[in-house]
Amino acid sequence: MQQAVQPGMQPVATTFFFYLLSGLTLLSGVFVIVRKNPVHSALALIFGLLAQAGLYLMLYAPFVAGVQIILYAGGIMVLFLFVIMLVNLERSQREEQFNKQWLVGLLAAIALGGLFIVVYVKGKNLFPYRIAQPVETNNTQQIGVMLYGQYMFAFEIASLLLLVAIIGAVVMAKKRI
Amino acid sequence: MLDYITSYLSSNTTPGQAGNVFWATVYILVVFGGISVAVMAMNWLERKALAHFQIRLGPMRVGPHGLLQPIADAIKLMTKEDIIPAEADKFVFWIAPLIILCASFAVYIVIPFGPTHAITDLNIGILFMLGVSSLSVLGIVMAGWASNSHYPLIGALRSSAQMVSYEVAMGMAVVSAVLMTSLHGLGPYGVGVGTSGTGTLSMIGIVQAQQEQHVWFLFKFFPLGFIAFGIFAIAMVAETNRAPFDLPEAESELTAGFHTEYSGLRWSLFMLGEYAAMIAVSSIAVTLWLGGWYRPFPNTLTGETWDLVFSLFPGLTFLGLAAIAFVGVRRMPKHPYFRVQTIGLAGFGAVLGLIGLILFVPPVRNRIQDIFWFVAKVAGFMYLYIWYRATFPRYRFDQLMKVGWKVLLPIGIGVLILTAILGVVL
């Protein structure tokens, strides 16, 4: 791993930060589920997303990390909070939760956990063994060249889809146009 | 160990890039200490300048010309009782000011005070700055909600709507400046035949692109750069919730907006975060459009002599401040009551003069001048903030939204498209 990194850019305390960030992600994930108050859940989700951005940074993907912060933590979650705060929380808290599906949830959790354990045990043979080549210095530039060169068509299709979604949202929200 | 510390001095990168933990820590402490001092100075300057705009004297009692007023304020705020409303959400109430503080201080990691005077140079510098500074809206929303009171909630909702909508216009302006960094190999003043390639998002890279093209992006593709800068300059005032866009804390309607229920130290954290964010967005504007750490007129006033003249500016500035202080000493009343203050002001002037003299020493001079020019440009913006506040009446909320969505955003998109076309054609 050390050879792949440019000289002078040695990461500091990698293991410590990995465990710190993944621990934060897991903890906030748990909080998202167990907190009764939806605002607390949303805040926990924000912390989880930020910790994830930190993990992306450790994987030498600064662009993804930046986009994660701007889009998820800065944009989408603010809208989430906005909507939650406008809803009458006290009434919704008093209402009975009717989706008691803990048995199904438990089964799904066991299945997913089993999958993780299998991957952890057999992972060496399942995935090709290759050391990733981190390109920290011009990661963003390479993403740009890829998106607007090789994958131009797919990128434009995706942006057209988003445009359709925006127009659809406006049409649905506004009664008289 | 000593070798580890001294080895960085000979390299010409930022400590973050050099991977030197010691110097990175030193830089972080210096930058954060400097920002805190700058916030205190700004606090004094704002009260003083606003007072003079309104033909008042402003703070005069604590220290000569109220120079010690920020310190007195800080002590007052720290010793004040810290009240948490009974119905408030304690944890969220407690953490909201910290989030604002963290968000507005974390962006200083990438601000380039000079080619090597930044804590680190991220590949996504400007993206990081926009993203992290937009996190402060979370703190505001949390503060408003956790207070469990009407005015804070309305203030927080206003603030988040305002920040989210002005971020869009701001992003358009920033993208058009980033687009300009992709035009390589142009002649002087950024015109002529060149090749367009990938640009850069790194803060240091953006300033170096301006040097390479021999033009501040403010004057590039005139008037496109100018318009983009104007959009950013308006949007950044709205982003930091300052007058004339200070609707989230409009005191005539909302008492104090989202921080109505806060008191003491927690309230001062909000203030600290707000001023730090102001300095941070001003630094973005300086980096993107005003040539960052480069001195003015690098094209016309070239040569050894002019370099020397411009490198004397930092020292001269401090000597000028010292001279002002000594004029103040001369004009102090001769009553014995003012003796301590007079001596203090004279001492302050002497310290300023000494700093000015140190800045004339050639090695110091050469190291300090890029920092000086960056800070000087940012200081100009800080003065503009005060000037706006004294001059413009507050906007109504529908006017604010109209300006953001119907004026700034379309112009921003237009500027972006025109910049792209000119970049390809020229």
Side-chain angles (χ1 to χ4, degrees):
Chain A
M1 194 65 196
Q2 281 295 332
Q3 288 89 2
V5 181
Q6 289 93 1
M9 288 290 284
Q10 274 88 15
V12 182
T14 321
T15 338
F16 168 73
F17 280 114
F18 174 75
Y19 283 116
L20 180 75
L21 290 171
S22 17
L24 264 176
T25 316
L26 287 179
L27 201 70
S28 43
V30 170
F31 269 111
V32 173
I33 302 167
V34 296
R35 295 300 300 190
K36 273 249 169 77
N37 194 329
V39 174
H40 289 181
S41 294
L43 293 177
L45 187 54
I46 291 167
F47 278 103
L49 291 169
L50 285 179
Q52 243 178 23
L55 282 176
Y56 290 145
L57 266 184
M58 290 188 63
L59 292 170
Y60 296 93
F63 185 73
V64 184
V67 168
Q68 167 100 354
I69 293 175
I70 287 189
L71 283 187
Y72 284 96
I76 293 176
M77 287 316 294
V78 170
L79 288 182
F80 264 43
L81 275 178
F82 213 89
V83 172
I84 294 172
M85 285 175 188
L86 288 177
V87 178
N88 195 342
L89 277 185
E90 285 175 19
R91 208 178 63 197
S92 63
Q93 262 180 345
R94 263 187 274 115
E95 275 170 10
E96 180 139 358
Q97 301 279 313
F98 52 83
N99 50 349
K100 287 197 165 44
Q101 297 172 329
W102 61 269
L103 195 69
V104 183
L106 195 68
L107 281 178
I110 289 172
L112 191 64
L115 188 68
F116 281 154
I117 291 169
V118 169
V119 168
Y120 184 73
V121 173
K122 292 197 165 182
K124 255 182 196 161
N125 309 324
L126 282 175
F127 299 109
Y129 180 75
R130 206 168 46 192
I131 290 175
Q133 295 288 319
V135 274
E136 212 267 343
T137 40
N138 54 0
N139 170 285
T140 317
Q141 280 85 342
Q142 292 198 356
I143 289 177
V145 169
M146 284 275 205
L147 276 185
Y148 290 97
Q150 212 171 339
Y151 301 108
M152 181 81 182
F153 187 66
F155 184 73
E156 291 298 329
I157 294 272
S159 67
L160 207 65
L161 252 174
L162 280 176
L163 186 67
V164 169
I166 293 171
I167 294 171
V170 171
V171 168
M172 275 163 68
K174 212 164 167 97
K175 289 200 181 73
R176 247 186 22 189
I177 298 168
Chain B
M1 186 64 199
L2 204 67
D3 195 42
Y4 179 69
I5 291 170
T6 50
S7 69
Y8 168 68
L9 290 175
S10 54
S11 77
N12 53 354
T13 50
T14 57
Q17 280 170 306
N20 196 313
V21 181
F22 174 79
W23 280 103
T25 317
V26 169
Y27 270 49
I28 288 171
L29 290 179
V30 167
V31 168
F32 288 3
I35 296 304
S36 306
V37 171
V39 168
M40 286 175 95
M42 178 69 192
N43 186 322
W44 176 80
L45 185 73
E46 177 161 27
R47 294 174 69 173
K48 210 67 186 168
L50 268 182
H52 287 291
F53 273 119
Q54 297 161 352
I55 323 182
R56 293 185 286 119
L57 283 176
M60 287 294 279
R61 296 301 173 100
V62 191
H65 291 268
L67 270 174
L68 299 176
Q69 187 71 40
I71 297 169
D73 280 351
I75 293 171
K76 185 204 88 175
L77 286 170
M78 270 186 242
T79 50
K80 211 172 163 182
E81 187 191 354
D82 184 24
I83 303 165
I84 297 181
E87 289 288 301
D89 191 318
K90 298 259 176 353
F91 177 70
V92 180
F93 192 84
W94 176 79
I95 207 170
L98 294 183
I99 285 184
I100 290 186
L101 200 66
C102 287
S104 41
F105 270 82
V107 293
Y108 286 97
I109 289 172
V110 290
I111 289 179
F113 295 93
T116 61
H117 298 121
I119 294 169
T120 186
D121 181 32
L122 280 182
N123 181 246
I124 49 159
I126 182 70
L127 206 64
F128 177 84
M129 285 207 72
L130 289 181
V132 173
S133 61
S134 75
L135 285 184
S136 66
V137 66
L138 281 178
I140 291 177
V141 168
M142 283 162 75
W145 179 79
S147 302
N148 203 357
S149 160
H150 295 292
Y151 291 139
L153 187 64
I154 296 172
L157 290 179
R158 274 187 181 185
S159 165
S160 46
Q162 172 181 335
M163 285 173 91
V164 168
S165 32
Y166 273 81
E167 227 159 61
V168 185
M170 202 172 180
M172 286 299 155
V174 167
V175 169
S176 76
V178 170
L179 201 59
M180 288 173 181
T181 63
S182 67
L183 311 168
H184 301 291
L186 298 170
Y189 302 104
V191 290
V193 185
T195 52
S196 51
T198 47
T200 178
L201 291 173
S202 121
M203 298 291 269
I204 288 182
I206 290 169
V207 180
Q208 280 167 347
Q210 297 181 44
Q211 189 211 16
E212 187 198 327
Q213 300 179 20
H214 300 286
V215 63
W216 288 4
F217 285 158
L218 178 64
F219 301 112
K220 182 141 176 134
F221 296 149
F222 192 82
L224 286 185
F226 215 80
I227 298 172
F229 170 75
I231 291 171
F232 188 89
I234 296 170
M236 79 184 197
V237 180
E239 274 293 294
T240 44
N241 294 330
R242 291 282 300 180
F245 302 114
D246 58 346
L247 287 146
E249 37 199 287
E251 62 268 16
S252 49
E253 308 158 28
L254 298 177
T255 321
F258 60 88
H259 55 62
T260 305
E261 302 289 348
Y262 282 83
S263 60
L265 189 60
R266 260 180 255 281
W267 180 85
S268 70
L269 292 184
F270 276 118
M271 281 295 112
L272 192 58
E274 181 185 326
Y275 281 92
M278 280 159 65
I279 300 175
V281 284
S282 306
S283 322
I284 300 183
V286 168
T287 313
L288 257 57
W289 284 282
L290 297 181
W293 63 79
Y294 285 108
R295 66 175 175 83
F297 308 114
N299 288 330
T300 44
L301 307 179
T302 48
E304 294 265 313
T305 333
W306 281 111
D307 281 344
L308 182 70
V309 169
F310 276 105
S311 73
L312 294 179
F313 263 85
L316 287 176
T317 309
F318 272 90
L319 284 190
L321 288 175
I324 293 172
F326 284 123
V327 170
V329 170
R330 289 279 300 175
R331 292 176 56 186
M332 273 297 219
K334 294 287 176 279
H335 193 272
Y337 176 77
F338 289 100
R339 187 176 291 147
V340 179
Q341 293 203 2
T342 313
I343 294 169
L345 191 59
F348 187 59
V351 170
L352 285 176
L354 199 66
I355 294 174
L357 288 180
I358 291 171
L359 291 183
F360 281 127
V361 180
V364 179
R365 202 168 69 196
N366 294 334
R367 290 215 158 217
I368 216 79
Q369 58 170 324
D370 39 13
I371 301 177
F372 172 79
W373 286 115
F374 191 89
V375 172
K377 289 169 186 174
V378 172
F381 275 98
M382 300 317 283
Y383 188 74
L384 272 183
Y385 268 115
I386 302 173
W387 200 350
Y388 292 156
R389 185 169 167 186
T391 312
F392 295 123
R394 184 180 295 132
Y395 274 75
R396 222 168 50 216
F397 199 71
D398 59 319
Q399 292 171 330
L400 174 94
M401 283 294 152
K402 208 163 143 189
V403 170
W405 287 105
K406 293 187 180 169
V407 180
L408 292 184
L409 182 61
I411 296 177
I413 294 175
V415 166
L416 178 59
I417 293 172
L418 283 177
T419 313
I421 291 173
L422 280 182
V424 174
V425 171
L426 287 181

